[in-house]
Amino acid sequence: MSVYLLRRLIQAALVMLAMSVIVFIGVYAIGDPVEILISPDADQAERARAIAALGLDKPLWQQYLSFLTNALQGDLGRSFVFNEPALKLIGQRAPATLELAFAAMFLAILVGLPLGLYAGLRPNGAGAKVIMAGSILGFSLPTFWVGLMLIMVFAVQLGWLPSTGRGETVEIMGLRWSFLTLDGLAHMAMPALNLALFKISLVIRLTRSGVRETMLMDFVKFARAKGLSPNRVIGVHVFKNILIPVVTVTGLELGSTIAFSVVTESVFAWPGMGKLIIDSINVLDRPVIVAYLMSIVLMFIIINLVVDLLYSVLDPRVRLESK
Amino acid sequence: MLGAGAQTLNLAVGAPVTSLDPHYHALSPNYAVADMLFDSLTAFDARARVQPRLALSWTPVAETVWEFKLRPGVKFHNGNDFTAEDVAFTIARVPTVPNSPSSYGIYTRAIQRVEVVDPLTVRFHTASPYPLLPVDLAQIQMLDSETHANPLTEDFNSGKLAIGTGPFRVLAHRQGERIEYARNDAYFGDKPHWQRVNYRMITNDAARTAALLSGDVDFIDQVPTSDIAKLRSDQRVTLSEADGLRLIFLALDHSRDGSSPFTTDNDGKPLERNPLRDVRVRRALSMAIDRQAITDRVMEGASLPSTQLLPPTAFGALPDRQVGRADADAARRLLAEAGYPQGFRITLHGPNDRYMNDARIIQAIGQMWTRIGVRTAVEGQPWATFVARAGRQELSAMLVGWGTSSGEPTSPLRSLLATFTPPRGWGGSNRGRYSNPAMDAKLDEALRTLDDAKREALLREATTIAMDDVGIIPIHIQKNIWAMRRGLQHEARADELTRAQDIRPAQ
């Protein structure tokens, strides 16, 4: 187990290093931040001053080396735009994104699992057909459009929910959270639903196909023959077996929701990390882009590790190899 | 959220504010917010004319010395007095803000020395006669030499040091999300109506309009042109508008005599010489553009067709210059005269995320040019990549915009049209590298002329020379449009700034 973990950690470090090179070169290749940030009234002398102030006058390898040295000390650079540490900016925005992502995942599991189970157990019923047709919609409608429709219906026409923003927040350990206030929850409802729609469909489909496959397996027949109640057969034996793909996909989906909920966050003016990264890309705020992508890589590495560990808990056949 | 009530204004702006430090990043959303918290010596009114603010009057006491008389009895939010010492302190701080990506130092550079005569009199010494000082100083918000002795940009952003003399104080600032203000009841000027202001940033156009329609906010700026018609017919909403100062124009490649990278003959072979260097070709290209159609169809009326740099009523603008109708036949004749009876091919580049309807404007122009025989391919790109290529002279024809925040033509003449000469700071955004010594001479003379009337005449001559020579091809000047719930009124500003003090309940 510990050898396994150690190997994973070394792999992770290598991935991070490779990623930093790719990201740095990629970001360097697009555009010129000074052209974008500087006042159009600026003359050439002012341009030269700004280029030097942002450290862009040095050759690429020097910029990368100084980035790497600072990064090893936990400093991923200062934002060009805000003149604050990039990690601090990301940290300030993280709670908003995290609570939204977890709310969406929670909705996806809460709604998706039961519906998928139902559709899998009665595949030919009318209910199952409605659920499956609905899930196709959830897959295929663009998030952007659904978000705007939600706003038009629930905020503009009906006036039930606030259209945009984060609402009232509560501060816990210096971080602001919306999910602890009624107003915050009202603000969160539409963006969370918008994010969850795709995931609900995904979970429904995974669960349904898992159930249909598992129900035909020998151990289910044996369990039934043994005289276990249908609830126990489904709730314990079948359920445990269908969870593996669901956990894998949910884990990866959680990662991508945290990292790339850009569209939903822009439509609902939700001040999370997705909005930060898209704003930063628009103005080529290189330190923030690099720091953000690095943190995202780290997050995916951690999520994958957790998913692997969960496998071994859920399925005794999976052993963490430690050759 | 703040206590609701008649005294609270919720407004949403489309462009994010990046800093509350008034000298960190010269960017108009930042300037709008600074203008609510701080004051400058001079200030622009809604028509972009310079007016007194913290200074009551100013006169040149010698060729190179301006004397400013300050307003007595002005206090900062923390009770400190505003005096001439604070002016000297501020001017010294502006060019030294660390890591600034775009310094306000360009507006104080002309000042060589600040002389404090008495607490309410200050003199600025310049190296040479400098008529634009009162205009430049409108950009510089005054700080307090005591409070801001050791100012960090972070401390402004947190609100701790965001202490000025302005009509509002900061209560809270959440970067990229919202700023909360309270009224400064001790303000020396007109008191704003609102006790509290919630200044939100909603960058998505559709979401901003929806926030207004759902009543989440009372007021929005940057109304997208596609929503104008719908909002005009909505009983719950009123609009305010002003002719802006942002010119949308085409810059052409003047940097090469030989073949320009995106021009070819009709068979796709490079041309021997650059057709854009021929004034007849440039006139033909300008004449082919139906500006009124672009305003009506693409901009939904939210622009002023133009063949000059500023709206005709601005200082130094050409009051009588006609826009003229598009004339495809005359344009074809001019092309034939220039040796292109069959036309040629060109690619017109432009941003697709920067100006109102930018990508659609270049599409329209591409069709109009093709009609006179200049077969035009159109390529819209994100601003971030476009502007870098344009700055390296990689393009032949490109759509760009220019916001003249000072409201008079020296800024576009100096940056867009003057010959590219880094040592004197000319041609900084002259991406086509247009050059005309006759215009340079007039501009140079204007920049040394303190007398307003004489300077205005010189600026008009310089503008006329550049426009007759089609140094750039102006398309239109954007209108600035705001929308608010019925029951509010707004003094629409030419300079695009969205400030809470301009909004009041309707009379």
Side-chain angles (χ1 to χ4, degrees):
Chain A
M1 180 78 182
S2 55
V3 178
Y4 171 81
L5 271 180
L6 191 69
R7 224 179 55 210
R8 288 293 293 254
L9 282 178
I10 294 170
Q11 276 174 6
L14 285 177
V15 170
M16 294 288 287
L17 189 70
M19 191 62 195
S20 75
V21 176
I22 296 172
V23 167
F24 212 83
I25 293 175
V27 163
Y28 194 84
I30 43 167
D32 175 0
V34 173
E35 277 282 359
I36 292 187
L37 293 171
I38 205 157
S39 160
D41 278 323
D43 55 20
Q44 293 87 345
E46 161 59 15
R47 263 167 228 265
R49 187 210 56 78
I51 289 171
L54 301 182
L56 299 172
D57 50 343
K58 302 194 186 76
L60 177 58
W61 63 269
Q62 254 185 40
Q63 289 184 37
Y64 179 71
L65 272 191
S66 65
F67 164 77
L68 206 62
T69 350
N70 290 332
L72 289 177
Q73 292 154 19
D75 171 12
L76 290 184
R78 288 176 90 82
S79 157
F80 292 164
V81 177
F82 301 109
N83 196 17
E84 295 193 23
L87 274 183
K88 182 181 152 199
L89 287 172
I90 295 169
Q92 278 171 354
R93 304 295 192 92
T97 297
L98 287 177
E99 64 182 358
L100 197 61
F102 277 103
M105 275 339 285
F106 182 68
L107 266 179
I109 292 167
L110 201 73
V111 179
L113 265 186
L115 288 183
L117 260 178
Y118 177 84
L121 292 172
R122 290 195 179 70
N124 296 318
K129 296 223 163 88
V130 172
I131 291 170
M132 294 319 288
S135 81
I136 291 178
L137 282 184
F139 259 114
S140 47
L141 293 179
T143 330
F144 185 78
W145 183 82
V146 174
L148 286 178
M149 284 303 117
L150 286 173
I151 293 180
M152 287 318 286
V153 174
F154 292 104
V156 177
Q157 304 292 341
L158 299 173
W160 292 351
L161 291 169
S163 66
T164 47
R166 207 173 162 201
E168 205 176 323
T169 52
V170 176
E171 202 157 308
I172 297 177
M173 294 190 300
L175 298 173
R176 300 184 305 121
W177 302 93
S178 303
F179 73 99
L180 296 170
T181 68
L182 214 57
D183 183 55
L185 280 176
H187 278 84
M188 210 156 102
M190 284 199 294
L193 180 65
N194 192 34
L195 266 185
L197 221 50
F198 178 86
K199 292 165 225 323
I200 292 175
S201 316
L202 201 63
V203 173
I204 288 178
R205 301 200 139 233
L206 281 172
T207 315
R208 172 181 174 270
S209 60
V211 168
R212 292 199 63 185
E213 213 175 297
T214 317
M215 287 304 282
L216 303 174
M217 288 193 160
D218 290 344
F219 75 87
V220 176
K221 288 179 193 151
F222 278 121
R224 279 200 180 132
K226 202 176 140 194
L228 294 181
S229 73
N231 280 346
R232 188 166 166 80
V233 173
I234 293 164
V236 177
H237 299 279
V238 173
F239 201 65
K240 235 178 144 177
N241 275 280
I242 59 167
L243 270 187
I244 290 222
V246 175
V247 167
T248 315
V249 172
T250 314
L252 288 178
E253 275 294 312
L254 179 66
S256 62
T257 311
I258 293 173
F260 309 115
S261 46
V262 176
V263 173
T264 300
E265 288 189 4
S266 331
V267 171
F268 291 93
W270 189 263
M273 298 190 293
K275 204 157 163 306
L276 177 70
I277 186 69
I278 198 72
D279 290 347
S280 302
I281 290 174
N282 281 335
V283 295
L284 294 185
D285 195 345
R286 287 183 184 165
V288 177
I289 304 176
V290 172
Y292 181 76
L293 292 177
M294 297 303 292
S295 348
I296 293 305
V297 172
L298 185 66
M299 182 188 76
F300 269 101
I301 290 173
I302 293 172
I303 288 181
N304 269 329
L305 187 62
V306 171
V307 167
D308 284 354
L309 294 177
L310 268 182
Y311 280 172
S312 66
V313 178
L314 285 171
D315 187 343
R317 286 172 302 182
V318 177
R319 290 272 171 270
L320 299 176
E321 289 171 37
S322 50
K323 286 180 222 171
Chain B
M1 203 153 297
L2 298 168
Q7 298 279 289
T8 300
L9 176 71
N10 292 296
L11 67 84
V13 295
V17 174
T18 66
S19 182
L20 295 194
D21 181 337
H23 307 142
Y24 174 65
H25 187 185
L27 187 74
S28 61
N30 293 353
Y31 183 77
V33 163
D35 221 26
M36 291 172 61
L37 301 174
F38 302 89
D39 283 304
S40 39
L41 293 182
T42 60
F44 297 118
D45 65 10
R47 300 279 148 269
R49 302 270 177 165
V50 175
Q51 303 290 342
R53 177 86 66 84
L54 284 178
L56 288 176
S57 64
W58 49 91
T59 40
V61 289
E63 276 280 280
T64 61
V65 185
W66 280 92
E67 184 175 276
F68 281 64
K69 289 277 179 203
L70 304 183
R71 187 184 290 272
V74 174
K75 287 191 185 302
F76 285 93
H77 297 156
N78 59 4
N80 288 3
D81 287 318
F82 167 74
T83 66
E85 287 297 339
D86 299 319
V87 178
F89 167 80
T90 302
I91 300 295
R93 189 229 174 194
V94 168
T96 62
V97 179
N99 301 335
S100 163
S102 176
S103 168
Y104 283 84
I106 52 175
Y107 302 112
T108 57
R109 186 174 293 153
I111 300 169
Q112 288 213 313
R113 186 164 68 83
V114 183
E115 179 193 346
V116 175
V117 180
D118 64 55
L120 294 178
T121 311
V122 63
R123 282 184 182 163
F124 299 102
H125 295 258
T126 57
S128 53
Y130 191 67
L132 293 178
L133 193 69
V135 177
D136 282 359
L137 285 176
Q139 309 278 356
I140 303 300
Q141 308 286 355
M142 290 295 147
L143 298 184
D144 177 18
S145 54
E146 263 173 60
T147 316
H148 301 106
N150 232 331
L152 291 174
T153 297
E154 276 161 282
D155 289 333
F156 283 96
N157 290 346
S158 71
K160 201 171 104 192
L161 286 186
I163 293 166
T165 55
F168 291 96
R169 291 180 288 118
V170 170
L171 290 181
H173 174 216
R174 311 241 178 271
Q175 213 129 42
E177 182 187 348
R178 69 166 70 216
I179 306 169
E180 291 166 13
Y181 302 92
R183 182 169 62 200
N184 170 18
D185 284 313
Y187 189 56
F188 63 82
D190 285 343
K191 291 202 182 32
H193 175 80
W194 313 102
Q195 261 173 8
R196 290 274 195 280
V197 176
N198 244 327
Y199 199 93
R200 291 179 54 190
M201 297 152 222
I202 304 182
T203 44
N204 184 281
D205 285 342
R208 202 164 54 251
T209 307
L212 176 71
L213 290 176
S214 67
D216 278 357
V217 298
D218 307 312
F219 185 95
I220 59 171
D221 70 357
Q222 296 183 17
V223 176
T225 52
S226 53
D227 285 344
I228 293 174
K230 188 178 77 187
L231 290 176
R232 272 198 212 289
S233 64
D234 194 318
Q235 289 301 308
R236 297 168 294 173
V237 174
T238 43
L239 300 179
S240 67
E241 64 172 62
D243 287 343
L245 295 166
R246 189 176 295 280
L247 173 73
I248 302 297
F249 65 93
L250 305 181
L252 303 173
D253 179 18
H254 295 263
S255 67
R256 299 168 177 83
D257 279 323
S259 145
S260 185
F262 285 95
T263 54
T264 63
D265 67 10
N266 283 324
D267 302 324
K269 293 193 203 71
L271 293 162
E272 260 173 46
R273 54 202 172 89
N274 177 1
L276 304 170
R277 295 274 290 187
D278 189 324
V279 67
R280 290 168 296 189
V281 173
R282 299 201 295 272
R283 276 200 195 122
L285 292 177
S286 174
M287 210 176 267
I289 298 170
D290 187 345
R291 294 175 172 79
Q292 192 61 47
I294 294 178
T295 289
D296 293 342
R297 303 286 163 75
V298 179
M299 297 297 290
E300 310 260 352
S303 70
L304 189 71
S306 179
T307 46
Q308 60 171 317
L309 303 170
L310 290 168
T313 50
F315 179 89
L318 309 173
D320 303 320
R321 196 175 180 88
Q322 299 298 319
V323 172
R325 293 179 47 158
D327 190 339
D329 291 330
R332 265 189 229 107
R333 280 197 296 278
L334 271 172
L335 278 181
E337 218 176 282
Y340 302 95
Q342 305 303 321
F344 54 90
R345 290 198 203 183
I346 194 166
T347 304
L348 173 59
H349 287 83
N352 56 15
D353 56 358
R354 174 82 170 177
Y355 309 109
M356 280 156 109
N357 304 321
D358 39 17
R360 292 174 57 205
I361 296 171
I362 53 174
Q363 277 167 16
I365 293 173
Q367 287 170 16
M368 293 165 185
W369 281 0
T370 304
R371 207 162 50 195
I372 62 161
V374 178
R375 287 164 66 188
T376 309
V378 166
E379 199 178 322
Q381 293 176 330
W383 174 253
T385 41
F386 166 79
V387 72
R389 295 182 72 191
R392 289 192 299 256
Q393 283 72 52
E394 285 176 16
L395 310 175
S396 287
M398 57 209 123
L399 177 117
V400 205
W402 184 264
T404 306
S405 52
S406 62
E408 48 77 58
T410 50
S411 120
L413 285 172
R414 188 164 47 182
S415 297
L416 299 178
L417 289 157
T419 306
F420 182 76
T421 23
R424 57 195 314 204
W426 281 21
S429 296
N430 185 350
R431 301 193 173 93
R433 296 289 187 263
Y434 173 71
S435 170
N436 185 334
M439 199 227 63
D440 288 355
K442 289 286 178 207
L443 177 62
D444 190 43
E445 200 185 335
L447 285 174
R448 283 182 281 115
T449 306
L450 289 174
D451 183 89
D452 280 350
K454 277 191 200 139
R455 191 171 73 255
E456 185 168 26
L458 285 165
L459 290 171
R460 282 184 176 145
E461 286 172 45
T463 308
T464 308
I465 294 172
M467 294 298 105
D468 286 349
D469 198 27
V470 205
I472 58 170
I473 302 180
I475 307 293
H476 58 231
I477 290 162
Q478 288 184 356
K479 283 187 181 168
N480 307 329
I481 301 190
W482 290 266
M484 64 213 82
R485 68 171 163 78
R486 195 162 287 273
L488 294 182
Q489 65 179 21
H490 173 236
E491 187 181 24
R493 288 178 67 86
D495 58 11
E496 304 178 7
L497 301 186
T498 301
R499 314 181 309 171
Q501 59 262 46
D502 301 325
I503 307 162
R504 292 183 178 275
Q507 299 297 315

